[in-house]
Amino acid sequence: MFKQAYWNEPVIFQLGRKGRKGHIVPKVEEEIRQTIGNALADLPKEMLRQTLPELPELSEVEVVRHYMRLSQMNYGVDLGFYPLGSCTMKYNPKLNEFLANMASLTALHPYQDESTVQGILKILYTLAKWLGEITGTHEVCLQPAAGAQGEFLGALIMRAHHKFNGNIQKKTELIVPDSAHGTNPASGTMAGFKIVVVPSNQEGCVDLEALKSAVSEHTAGLMLTNPNTLGVFEKDIEEIADIVHEAGGLLYYDGANLNAILGKVRPGDMGFDIVHINIHKTFGTPHGGGGPGAGPVGVSKELEKYLPVPRIVFDGKRYYLDHNKPQSIGKIRGFYGNVAVLLRAYAYILSLGAEGLEEAAEVSVLNANYLLKKLSSIRGFELPFAKGRPRKHECVFSLKKLYRETGVRALNVAKRMLDYGVHAPTTYFPQIVEEALMIEPTESFEKEELDRFADMNEVKASHPKTMALSWRMHQKKSTRKHKQ
Ligand SMILES: Cc1ncc(COP(=O)(O)O)c(C=O)c1O
């Protein structure tokens, strides 16, 4: 059974004592004082604080122990299997961390003059070009700080496009499949659209007949994830694109699942006009627990004029920021975006190269299908939709039968996995699957780890009654612990 450290660790504000501080070489301390003093002297007096903020005061060793204890209670991709579907929790290569933490990059300030930051501008310019190539889009904006913010930007671009064409009064509806992530309808609503939901068919794909009856002169666009959240590739994507375009709408690609098709097919070539990329998922940057992320957005040539400013431009000699884009929707986030995350993605793409990216996609799909096959034979694990069809990067099981027969829910199974040193899969998403367990192994876990995961589920689920019992006992124990 997996054991993880448990420390009764207070928050940092409850530690330390007034006047306590870390050791610092006196000469360096003096230099810091002088630098801060000079900086303060340049600030207008009325902007200076009158009282100092109450920050915790700790010795160096107290700080080290505090964070060491917290890190021991944390679970991450460096510790073990992390099949959190849709989140693509792949290994984050340490080389990327090293590069992104180089002082020549971290010491830069976004207010520096362009002439002094040519290096980072070149990196960001190059990254945007690579992402354009990978997604098959004309131009990419790196500003959005997450997939959801990319969606919001995409929806604003749809608005700008229909406004420019003089029909924003008419184009009021955004179509979203019922398998979509919750951020899709939320972003569309925030941008002022009415959401129209289309159902999935038995294949787990967009129901074409339902789509045809949902589109109308009011259709501003369709937001689609491909492969979708069931891990199924929307094989009718070209027909879907035609239906939406013929109605005068735009096609938006939710890039949460791009990892499955890297280097194989490009959303731009499938007919998508606007594409977001969850950099933190596909390109190996650390995330989880809500951040940090980046959600660059690529668009077709026709929509380029609406992208946010400033744009990083290269005139053949130097890189500079271009604010002069009258049709731009404005700004979506400060400065150049979440640069620390973008740097890791740059390093990831540079180190893997085109072939490496393609291989990552292949292995992620192989791993998902390997697990799909092994887990499908387990009693209580049923595959809803598109039975017999392979999946892409993830597979979604329904534990509906297990629940009906034993009272054990997907939530219980997911929680029980924690006892075996595995991060729980995503549960209850997509919402069209009852008692859903969504498993995405990614390419970065070896066969032995996948086997361990499958075997662990087999032992537990081959005796659903025992499982129900063991779950209840476990639940009782934890309730007792809470009461103590
Ligand atoms: C399918 C899908 N779309 C969109 C998002 C939103 O992305 P982000 O978390 O980067 O905002 C997610 C996040 O998990 C997702 O799984």
Side-chain angles (χ1 to χ4, degrees), residues 49-82:
R49 284 179 204 277
Q50 299 309 313
T51 50
L52 287 176
E54 281 189 31
L55 296 175
E57 297 178 58
L58 289 87
S59 67
E60 178 176 326
V61 70
E62 274 180 297
V63 173
V64 170
R65 285 192 191 128
H66 175 67
Y67 286 109
M68 182 55 92
R69 288 189 187 122
L70 291 184
S71 76
Q72 287 188 341
M73 291 195 284
N74 198 12
Y75 188 91
V77 273
D78 286 351
L79 201 56
F81 197 45
Y82 208 132

Short mmCIF file of all heavy atoms in Angstrom, two decimals, residues 49-82:
data_model
loop_
_atom_site.label_atom_id
_atom_site.label_comp_id
_atom_site.label_asym_id
_atom_site.label_seq_id
_atom_site.Cartn_x
_atom_site.Cartn_y
_atom_site.Cartn_z
N ARG A 49 4.61 53.13 0.47
CA ARG A 49 3.82 52.62 1.58
C ARG A 49 4.20 53.34 2.88
O ARG A 49 5.37 53.63 3.10
CB ARG A 49 4.16 51.15 1.84
CG ARG A 49 3.60 50.18 0.93
CD ARG A 49 4.12 48.82 1.39
NE ARG A 49 4.13 47.85 0.31
CZ ARG A 49 3.05 47.16 -0.07
NH1 ARG A 49 1.94 47.31 0.58
NH2 ARG A 49 3.12 46.31 -1.07
N GLN A 50 3.22 53.56 3.71
CA GLN A 50 3.50 54.16 5.01
C GLN A 50 3.81 53.07 6.03
O GLN A 50 4.63 53.24 6.92
CB GLN A 50 2.31 55.01 5.50
CG GLN A 50 1.96 56.18 4.58
CD GLN A 50 3.17 57.03 4.25
OE1 GLN A 50 3.94 57.40 5.13
NE2 GLN A 50 3.37 57.33 2.96
N THR A 51 3.12 51.94 5.88
CA THR A 51 3.39 50.83 6.80
C THR A 51 3.90 49.64 5.99
O THR A 51 3.45 49.43 4.86
CB THR A 51 2.11 50.39 7.54
OG1 THR A 51 1.10 50.20 6.55
CG2 THR A 51 1.66 51.40 8.56
N LEU A 52 4.77 48.88 6.59
CA LEU A 52 5.33 47.74 5.87
C LEU A 52 4.34 46.57 5.90
O LEU A 52 3.62 46.39 6.87
CB LEU A 52 6.63 47.29 6.53
CG LEU A 52 7.81 48.22 6.28
CD1 LEU A 52 9.03 47.73 7.05
CD2 LEU A 52 8.14 48.30 4.79
N PRO A 53 4.29 45.77 4.82
CA PRO A 53 3.39 44.61 4.85
C PRO A 53 3.89 43.60 5.89
O PRO A 53 5.09 43.49 6.13
CB PRO A 53 3.52 44.02 3.44
CG PRO A 53 4.80 44.55 2.91
CD PRO A 53 5.07 45.85 3.59
N GLU A 54 2.96 42.89 6.50
CA GLU A 54 3.36 41.92 7.53
C GLU A 54 3.78 40.61 6.89
O GLU A 54 2.96 39.70 6.72
CB GLU A 54 2.22 41.71 8.51
CG GLU A 54 2.15 42.85 9.49
CD GLU A 54 1.17 42.57 10.60
OE1 GLU A 54 0.99 41.39 10.97
OE2 GLU A 54 0.56 43.54 11.08
N LEU A 55 5.02 40.54 6.50
CA LEU A 55 5.50 39.33 5.86
C LEU A 55 6.08 38.40 6.92
O LEU A 55 6.58 38.85 7.95
CB LEU A 55 6.58 39.68 4.83
CG LEU A 55 6.12 40.53 3.66
CD1 LEU A 55 7.29 40.92 2.77
CD2 LEU A 55 5.07 39.80 2.85
N PRO A 56 6.02 37.08 6.66
CA PRO A 56 6.61 36.16 7.64
C PRO A 56 8.12 36.36 7.71
O PRO A 56 8.76 36.67 6.69
CB PRO A 56 6.27 34.78 7.07
CG PRO A 56 5.81 34.98 5.69
CD PRO A 56 5.43 36.40 5.51
N GLU A 57 8.69 36.21 8.91
CA GLU A 57 10.14 36.37 9.07
C GLU A 57 10.70 35.04 9.55
O GLU A 57 10.42 34.60 10.67
CB GLU A 57 10.43 37.51 10.05
CG GLU A 57 9.91 38.84 9.50
CD GLU A 57 10.13 40.02 10.45
OE1 GLU A 57 11.28 40.29 10.82
OE2 GLU A 57 9.12 40.62 10.83
N LEU A 58 11.48 34.40 8.68
CA LEU A 58 11.97 33.06 8.98
C LEU A 58 13.45 32.94 8.66
O LEU A 58 13.97 33.67 7.81
CB LEU A 58 11.23 32.02 8.11
CG LEU A 58 9.78 31.72 8.41
CD1 LEU A 58 8.88 32.68 7.69
CD2 LEU A 58 9.45 30.32 7.95
N SER A 59 14.09 31.96 9.30
CA SER A 59 15.47 31.66 8.95
C SER A 59 15.47 30.82 7.68
O SER A 59 14.44 30.24 7.31
CB SER A 59 16.14 30.88 10.08
OG SER A 59 15.54 29.62 10.17
N GLU A 60 16.63 30.75 7.04
CA GLU A 60 16.71 29.99 5.78
C GLU A 60 16.28 28.53 5.99
O GLU A 60 15.49 27.98 5.22
CB GLU A 60 18.15 30.05 5.26
CG GLU A 60 18.34 29.25 3.99
CD GLU A 60 19.74 29.38 3.42
OE1 GLU A 60 20.35 30.46 3.55
OE2 GLU A 60 20.24 28.38 2.86
N VAL A 61 16.78 27.94 7.09
CA VAL A 61 16.51 26.51 7.28
C VAL A 61 15.02 26.26 7.55
O VAL A 61 14.45 25.25 7.14
CB VAL A 61 17.43 25.94 8.39
CG1 VAL A 61 17.07 26.47 9.76
CG2 VAL A 61 17.39 24.42 8.37
N GLU A 62 14.36 27.23 8.21
CA GLU A 62 12.91 27.07 8.43
C GLU A 62 12.15 27.06 7.10
O GLU A 62 11.21 26.29 6.92
CB GLU A 62 12.38 28.24 9.27
CG GLU A 62 12.50 28.06 10.77
CD GLU A 62 11.95 29.28 11.48
OE1 GLU A 62 12.49 30.39 11.29
OE2 GLU A 62 10.96 29.14 12.22
N VAL A 63 12.59 27.94 6.21
CA VAL A 63 11.93 28.03 4.90
C VAL A 63 12.14 26.73 4.13
O VAL A 63 11.19 26.15 3.58
CB VAL A 63 12.48 29.22 4.08
CG1 VAL A 63 11.92 29.22 2.67
CG2 VAL A 63 12.17 30.53 4.78
N VAL A 64 13.38 26.23 4.16
CA VAL A 64 13.69 25.00 3.42
C VAL A 64 12.84 23.86 3.94
O VAL A 64 12.21 23.12 3.19
CB VAL A 64 15.20 24.66 3.52
CG1 VAL A 64 15.48 23.27 2.98
CG2 VAL A 64 16.02 25.70 2.78
N ARG A 65 12.76 23.73 5.29
CA ARG A 65 12.01 22.60 5.86
C ARG A 65 10.51 22.71 5.56
O ARG A 65 9.86 21.72 5.26
CB ARG A 65 12.22 22.54 7.37
CG ARG A 65 13.58 22.00 7.71
CD ARG A 65 13.68 21.68 9.19
NE ARG A 65 15.06 21.43 9.51
CZ ARG A 65 15.72 22.02 10.50
NH1 ARG A 65 15.12 22.90 11.28
NH2 ARG A 65 16.98 21.73 10.72
N HIS A 66 10.02 23.96 5.63
CA HIS A 66 8.59 24.17 5.35
C HIS A 66 8.24 23.66 3.96
O HIS A 66 7.32 22.85 3.78
CB HIS A 66 8.27 25.66 5.47
CG HIS A 66 6.88 26.04 5.10
ND1 HIS A 66 5.78 25.64 5.84
CD2 HIS A 66 6.38 26.74 4.05
CE1 HIS A 66 4.68 26.11 5.28
NE2 HIS A 66 5.01 26.77 4.19
N TYR A 67 9.02 24.10 2.97
CA TYR A 67 8.67 23.71 1.59
C TYR A 67 9.01 22.24 1.32
O TYR A 67 8.33 21.60 0.53
CB TYR A 67 9.34 24.66 0.58
CG TYR A 67 8.62 26.00 0.59
CD1 TYR A 67 9.21 27.14 1.12
CD2 TYR A 67 7.32 26.09 0.12
CE1 TYR A 67 8.53 28.34 1.17
CE2 TYR A 67 6.62 27.29 0.16
CZ TYR A 67 7.23 28.41 0.69
OH TYR A 67 6.53 29.59 0.73
N MET A 68 10.02 21.73 2.01
CA MET A 68 10.34 20.31 1.84
C MET A 68 9.17 19.45 2.33
O MET A 68 8.76 18.50 1.69
CB MET A 68 11.63 19.98 2.59
CG MET A 68 12.07 18.56 2.42
SD MET A 68 12.24 18.10 0.69
CE MET A 68 13.94 18.45 0.40
N ARG A 69 8.62 19.83 3.48
CA ARG A 69 7.49 19.06 4.03
C ARG A 69 6.28 19.14 3.09
O ARG A 69 5.63 18.14 2.82
CB ARG A 69 7.10 19.59 5.41
CG ARG A 69 8.14 19.24 6.45
CD ARG A 69 7.62 19.58 7.84
NE ARG A 69 8.67 19.39 8.79
CZ ARG A 69 9.14 20.33 9.61
NH1 ARG A 69 8.64 21.54 9.59
NH2 ARG A 69 10.10 20.06 10.45
N LEU A 70 6.02 20.35 2.62
CA LEU A 70 4.87 20.49 1.70
C LEU A 70 5.09 19.63 0.46
O LEU A 70 4.17 18.96 -0.02
CB LEU A 70 4.68 21.96 1.30
CG LEU A 70 4.20 22.91 2.38
CD1 LEU A 70 3.98 24.30 1.80
CD2 LEU A 70 2.91 22.43 3.04
N SER A 71 6.32 19.65 -0.04
CA SER A 71 6.59 18.89 -1.28
C SER A 71 6.41 17.39 -1.03
O SER A 71 6.01 16.66 -1.92
CB SER A 71 7.99 19.18 -1.81
OG SER A 71 8.95 18.50 -1.04
N GLN A 72 6.71 16.94 0.20
CA GLN A 72 6.55 15.51 0.49
C GLN A 72 5.08 15.09 0.56
O GLN A 72 4.76 13.92 0.42
CB GLN A 72 7.22 15.17 1.82
CG GLN A 72 8.74 15.17 1.69
CD GLN A 72 9.40 14.65 2.93
OE1 GLN A 72 8.80 14.61 4.00
NE2 GLN A 72 10.65 14.27 2.80
N MET A 73 4.22 16.06 0.79
CA MET A 73 2.78 15.72 0.85
C MET A 73 2.12 15.86 -0.52
O MET A 73 0.93 15.65 -0.67
CB MET A 73 2.07 16.63 1.86
CG MET A 73 2.48 16.33 3.30
SD MET A 73 1.35 17.08 4.46
CE MET A 73 1.85 18.77 4.42
N ASN A 74 2.91 16.30 -1.48
CA ASN A 74 2.36 16.55 -2.81
C ASN A 74 2.53 15.31 -3.69
O ASN A 74 3.42 14.52 -3.48
CB ASN A 74 3.12 17.73 -3.43
CG ASN A 74 2.38 18.34 -4.57
OD1 ASN A 74 1.21 18.04 -4.78
ND2 ASN A 74 3.05 19.16 -5.34
N TYR A 75 1.65 15.18 -4.66
CA TYR A 75 1.80 14.08 -5.62
C TYR A 75 1.96 14.71 -7.00
O TYR A 75 1.22 15.62 -7.37
CB TYR A 75 0.55 13.19 -5.60
CG TYR A 75 0.74 11.94 -6.43
CD1 TYR A 75 1.22 10.77 -5.86
CD2 TYR A 75 0.46 11.93 -7.80
CE1 TYR A 75 1.42 9.63 -6.61
CE2 TYR A 75 0.67 10.79 -8.55
CZ TYR A 75 1.15 9.64 -7.95
OH TYR A 75 1.36 8.52 -8.71
N GLY A 76 2.94 14.26 -7.75
CA GLY A 76 3.17 14.85 -9.07
C GLY A 76 3.65 13.83 -10.08
O GLY A 76 3.88 12.66 -9.73
N VAL A 77 3.83 14.27 -11.31
CA VAL A 77 4.26 13.35 -12.38
C VAL A 77 5.64 12.77 -12.10
O VAL A 77 5.99 11.72 -12.63
CB VAL A 77 4.30 14.02 -13.78
CG1 VAL A 77 2.97 13.94 -14.46
CG2 VAL A 77 4.79 15.44 -13.71
N ASP A 78 6.44 13.44 -11.28
CA ASP A 78 7.77 12.90 -10.98
C ASP A 78 7.70 11.78 -9.94
O ASP A 78 8.69 11.12 -9.66
CB ASP A 78 8.68 14.01 -10.44
CG ASP A 78 9.12 14.95 -11.55
OD1 ASP A 78 8.84 14.63 -12.72
OD2 ASP A 78 9.72 15.99 -11.26
N LEU A 79 6.52 11.59 -9.35
CA LEU A 79 6.40 10.59 -8.30
C LEU A 79 5.76 9.29 -8.80
O LEU A 79 6.10 8.21 -8.34
CB LEU A 79 5.54 11.18 -7.16
CG LEU A 79 5.66 10.55 -5.80
CD1 LEU A 79 7.11 10.54 -5.33
CD2 LEU A 79 4.79 11.30 -4.79
N GLY A 80 4.84 9.40 -9.73
CA GLY A 80 4.18 8.18 -10.19
C GLY A 80 3.14 8.43 -11.26
O GLY A 80 3.03 9.54 -11.80
N PHE A 81 2.35 7.39 -11.50
CA PHE A 81 1.37 7.40 -12.59
C PHE A 81 0.31 8.48 -12.36
O PHE A 81 -0.17 8.65 -11.24
CB PHE A 81 0.72 6.01 -12.66
CG PHE A 81 0.00 5.73 -13.94
CD1 PHE A 81 0.58 6.05 -15.16
CD2 PHE A 81 -1.25 5.13 -13.94
CE1 PHE A 81 -0.08 5.77 -16.35
CE2 PHE A 81 -1.91 4.84 -15.13
CZ PHE A 81 -1.32 5.18 -16.33
N TYR A 82 -0.07 9.16 -13.43
CA TYR A 82 -0.93 10.35 -13.30
C TYR A 82 -1.92 10.39 -14.48
O TYR A 82 -1.81 11.25 -15.34
CB TYR A 82 -0.03 11.59 -13.29
CG TYR A 82 -0.54 12.79 -12.55
CD1 TYR A 82 0.28 13.48 -11.66
CD2 TYR A 82 -1.82 13.29 -12.75
CE1 TYR A 82 -0.15 14.60 -10.97
CE2 TYR A 82 -2.26 14.42 -12.08
CZ TYR A 82 -1.42 15.07 -11.20
OH TYR A 82 -1.85 16.18 -10.53
#
